[in-house]
Amino acid sequence: MAGVIVDDQGRALLIQRRDNGHWEVPGGVLERNEDIISGLRREVQEETGLEVTPIALTGVYKNMPRGIVALVFRCKVESDSLRESDESSGFRWVTADEVAELAHEAFAIRVQDALVTQSTVLIRAHDGTRLLG
């Protein structure tokens, strides 16, 4: 799961991952007995220091080769204490156009989908880098 944190200017927060240098939204894997919203909040807080509230589920994304399904939520910041962590080495607030230049297509689309207000949840498949279908 991942949280697309949106600011008052309509920009999304990206983290630069410490392990591979890629720009992505904060997120991760649920712990065994953790509910989805608690896990989302925990992962975002661990990677950014921010406390967030999820506003809407904006997409469901499947990495076909790895069999991983990610739920992505648009979030708003409740407490502003942005800080680097063991998992993040930098931050950038980006527009929908800017994210396409920084992130792989499979991750940029998550931000772009979350920045668009829609009445349905988007469901997409990818190969870890590119969208499929």
Side-chain angles (χ1 to χ4, degrees), residues 3-6 37 40-41 44 50-56 73-79:
V4 177
I5 303 161
V6 180
I37 300 304
L40 174 67
R41 288 179 170 152
V44 169
L50 299 175
E51 292 183 24
V52 298
T53 298
I55 303 303
F73 295 84
R74 182 175 39 250
C75 299
K76 70 175 184 174
V77 174
E78 295 298 337
S79 70

Side-chain angles (χ1 to χ4, degrees), residues 84-99:
E84 292 180 7
S85 72
D86 292 341
E87 299 177 55
S88 61
S89 61
F91 305 100
R92 285 187 69 175
W93 290 98
V94 298
T95 64
D97 291 335
E98 291 168 334
V99 72

